[in-house]
Coordinates of all heavy atoms in Angstrom, one line a residue:
L9 N 104.6 89.3 83.8 CA 104.8 90.4 84.7 C 105.4 89.8 86.0 O 105.1 88.6 86.3 CB 103.5 91.1 85.1 CG 102.9 92.1 84.1 CD1 101.6 92.6 84.5 CD2 103.9 93.3 83.8
R10 N 106.2 90.6 86.7 CA 106.6 90.1 88.0 C 106.2 91.2 89.0 O 106.6 92.3 89.0 CB 108.1 90.0 88.1 CG 108.6 89.4 89.4 CD 110.1 89.1 89.5 NE 110.8 90.4 89.8 CZ 112.0 90.4 90.3 NH1 112.6 89.2 90.6 NH2 112.7 91.5 90.5
L11 N 105.4 90.7 90.0 CA 104.9 91.6 91.0 C 105.8 91.5 92.2 O 106.3 90.4 92.5 CB 103.5 91.2 91.5 CG 102.4 91.2 90.4 CD1 101.0 90.9 91.0 CD2 102.4 92.5 89.6
S12 N 106.0 92.6 92.9 CA 106.8 92.6 94.1 C 106.0 93.1 95.3 O 105.1 93.9 95.1 CB 108.0 93.6 93.9 OG 108.8 93.2 92.9
C13 N 106.3 92.5 96.4 CA 105.6 92.9 97.7 C 106.7 93.2 98.7 O 107.4 92.3 99.2 CB 104.7 91.8 98.2 SG 104.0 92.0 99.8
A14 N 107.0 94.5 98.9 CA 108.0 94.9 99.8 C 107.5 95.3 101.2 O 106.5 96.0 101.3 CB 108.8 96.1 99.2
A15 N 108.1 94.8 102.2 CA 107.7 95.1 103.6 C 108.6 96.1 104.2 O 109.8 96.2 104.0 CB 107.7 93.8 104.4
S16 N 107.9 97.0 105.0 CA 108.7 97.9 105.8 C 108.1 97.9 107.2 O 106.9 97.7 107.4 CB 108.6 99.3 105.2 OG 107.3 99.8 105.2
G17 N 108.9 98.1 108.2 CA 108.5 98.2 109.6 C 108.5 96.8 110.2 O 108.2 96.7 111.4
F18 N 108.7 95.8 109.5 CA 108.8 94.4 110.1 C 109.6 93.5 109.1 O 109.8 93.9 108.0 CB 107.4 93.8 110.3 CG 106.6 93.6 109.1 CD1 106.4 92.3 108.6 CD2 106.0 94.6 108.4 CE1 105.6 92.0 107.5 CE2 105.2 94.4 107.3 CZ 105.0 93.1 106.9
T19 N 110.1 92.4 109.7 CA 110.9 91.5 108.9 C 110.1 90.3 108.4 O 109.4 89.6 109.2 CB 112.0 90.9 109.8 OG1 112.8 92.0 110.3 CG2 112.9 90.0 109.0
L20 N 110.1 90.1 107.1 CA 109.2 89.1 106.5 C 109.6 87.7 106.8 O 108.9 86.7 106.6 CB 109.2 89.2 104.9 CG 108.3 90.3 104.4 CD1 108.4 90.3 102.9 CD2 106.9 90.2 104.8
D21 N 110.8 87.5 107.4 CA 111.3 86.2 107.7 C 110.3 85.4 108.6 O 110.3 84.2 108.5 CB 112.6 86.3 108.5 CG 113.8 86.9 107.8 OD1 113.5 87.9 107.0 OD2 114.9 86.5 107.9
Y22 N 109.6 86.1 109.4 CA 108.8 85.5 110.4 C 107.3 85.4 110.0 O 106.4 85.1 110.7 CB 108.8 86.2 111.7 CG 110.2 86.3 112.3 CD1 110.9 87.5 112.2 CD2 110.9 85.2 112.8 CE1 112.3 87.6 112.6 CE2 112.2 85.3 113.3 CZ 112.9 86.5 113.2 OH 114.2 86.6 113.6
Y23 N 107.1 85.7 108.7 CA 105.7 85.8 108.2 C 105.4 84.9 107.0 O 106.3 84.7 106.2 CB 105.4 87.2 107.7 CG 105.3 88.2 108.9 CD1 106.5 88.6 109.6 CD2 104.1 88.7 109.3 CE1 106.4 89.5 110.6 CE2 104.0 89.6 110.3 CZ 105.1 90.0 111.0 OH 105.0 90.9 112.0
A24 N 104.3 84.3 107.0 CA 103.8 83.7 105.7 C 103.2 84.8 104.9 O 102.6 85.8 105.4 CB 102.7 82.7 106.1
I25 N 103.3 84.7 103.6 CA 102.9 85.7 102.6 C 101.9 85.1 101.6 O 102.1 84.0 101.1 CB 104.1 86.3 101.9 CG1 105.1 86.8 102.9 CG2 103.6 87.4 101.0 CD1 104.7 87.9 103.8
G26 N 100.8 85.8 101.4 CA 99.9 85.4 100.4 C 99.7 86.4 99.3 O 99.9 87.6 99.6
W27 N 99.4 86.0 98.1 CA 98.9 86.9 97.0 C 97.5 86.6 96.7 O 97.1 85.4 96.6 CB 99.7 86.6 95.8 CG 101.1 87.3 95.8 CD1 102.3 86.7 96.0 CD2 101.4 88.6 95.5 NE1 103.3 87.6 95.9 CE2 102.8 88.8 95.6 CE3 100.6 89.8 95.1 CZ2 103.4 90.0 95.4 CZ3 101.3 91.0 94.9 CH2 102.6 91.1 95.0
F28 N 96.7 87.6 96.6 CA 95.3 87.5 96.3 C 95.0 88.5 95.1 O 95.8 89.3 94.8 CB 94.4 88.0 97.5 CG 94.6 87.1 98.7 CD1 95.7 87.2 99.5 CD2 93.6 86.1 99.0 CE1 95.9 86.3 100.6 CE2 93.8 85.3 100.1 CZ 94.9 85.4 100.9
R29 N 93.8 88.3 94.5 CA 93.4 89.2 93.5 C 91.9 89.4 93.5 O 91.2 88.5 94.0 CB 93.8 88.6 92.1 CG 93.1 87.4 91.7 CD 93.8 86.8 90.4 NE 93.1 85.6 89.9 CZ 93.5 84.9 88.8 NH1 94.6 85.3 88.2 NH2 92.9 83.8 88.5
Q30 N 91.5 90.5 93.0 CA 90.1 90.9 93.0 C 89.7 91.5 91.7 O 90.3 92.6 91.4 CB 89.7 91.7 94.1 CG 88.2 91.9 94.3 CD 87.9 92.5 95.7 OE1 88.7 93.1 96.4 NE2 86.6 92.4 96.0
A31 N 88.9 90.9 90.9 CA 88.4 91.4 89.6 C 87.1 92.2 89.9 O 86.5 92.0 90.9 CB 88.2 90.3 88.6
P32 N 86.8 93.2 89.0 CA 85.6 94.0 89.2 C 84.4 93.1 89.4 O 84.1 92.2 88.6 CB 85.5 94.8 88.0 CG 86.9 94.9 87.5 CD 87.6 93.6 87.9
G33 N 83.6 93.3 90.4 CA 82.4 92.6 90.6 C 82.5 91.2 91.2 O 81.5 90.5 91.4
K34 N 83.8 90.9 91.5 CA 84.0 89.5 92.1 C 84.6 89.6 93.5 O 85.2 90.6 93.9 CB 84.9 88.7 91.1 CG 84.3 88.4 89.8 CD 85.2 87.5 89.0 CE 84.6 87.1 87.7 NZ 85.4 86.2 86.9
E35 N 84.6 88.5 94.2 CA 85.2 88.5 95.5 C 86.7 88.3 95.4 O 87.2 87.8 94.4 CB 84.6 87.3 96.3 CG 83.1 87.4 96.7 CD 82.7 86.3 97.6 OE1 83.5 85.4 97.9 OE2 81.5 86.4 98.1
R36 N 87.4 88.7 96.4 CA 88.8 88.5 96.5 C 89.1 87.0 96.6 O 88.5 86.3 97.4 CB 89.4 89.3 97.6 CG 90.9 89.4 97.6 CD 91.4 90.4 98.7 NE 90.9 91.7 98.4 CZ 91.3 92.8 99.1 NH1 92.3 92.7 100.0 NH2 90.8 94.0 98.8
E37 N 90.1 86.6 95.7 CA 90.4 85.2 95.7 C 91.9 85.0 95.9 O 92.7 85.8 95.5 CB 90.0 84.5 94.4 CG 90.7 85.1 93.2 CD 90.5 84.2 91.9 OE1 90.0 83.1 92.0 OE2 90.8 84.7 90.8
G38 N 92.2 83.9 96.6 CA 93.6 83.5 96.8 C 94.3 83.0 95.6 O 93.7 82.2 94.8
V39 N 95.5 83.4 95.3 CA 96.2 83.0 94.2 C 97.4 82.1 94.5 O 97.5 81.0 94.0 CB 96.8 84.3 93.4 CG1 97.7 83.9 92.3 CG2 95.7 85.2 92.9
S40 N 98.1 82.5 95.6 CA 99.3 81.7 95.9 C 99.7 82.2 97.3 O 99.4 83.2 97.8 CB 100.4 82.0 94.9 OG 101.6 81.3 95.3
C41 N 100.5 81.3 98.0 CA 101.1 81.7 99.2 C 102.4 81.0 99.4 O 102.7 79.9 98.8 CB 100.2 81.5 100.4 SG 99.8 79.8 100.8
I42 N 103.3 81.5 100.3 CA 104.5 80.9 100.6 C 104.7 80.9 102.2 O 104.5 81.9 102.8 CB 105.7 81.6 99.9 CG1 107.0 80.9 100.2 CG2 105.8 83.1 100.3 CD1 108.1 81.3 99.2
S43 N 105.1 79.7 102.7 CA 105.2 79.6 104.1 C 106.4 80.3 104.7 O 107.3 80.7 103.9 CB 105.2 78.1 104.5 OG 104.0 77.4 104.0

């Protein structure tokens, strides 16, 4: 699968972005990030 994260109202150029996931009954965990 390919997930997309689209931003509106601001420019992603100036932001670091992270992907997280949360399974039922579990804490949210970090998956990946890009500087």
Side-chain angles (χ1 to χ4, degrees):
L9 285 173
R10 188 177 78 158
L11 304 184
S12 299
C13 173
S16 61
F18 65 106
T19 303
L20 283 180
D21 299 38
Y22 304 105
Y23 290 74
I25 307 299
W27 281 99
F28 296 79
R29 66 186 181 186
Q30 189 166 19
K34 294 187 177 181
E35 292 188 354
R36 192 169 298 189
E37 64 170 345
V39 173
S40 180
C41 67
I42 186 165
S43 300

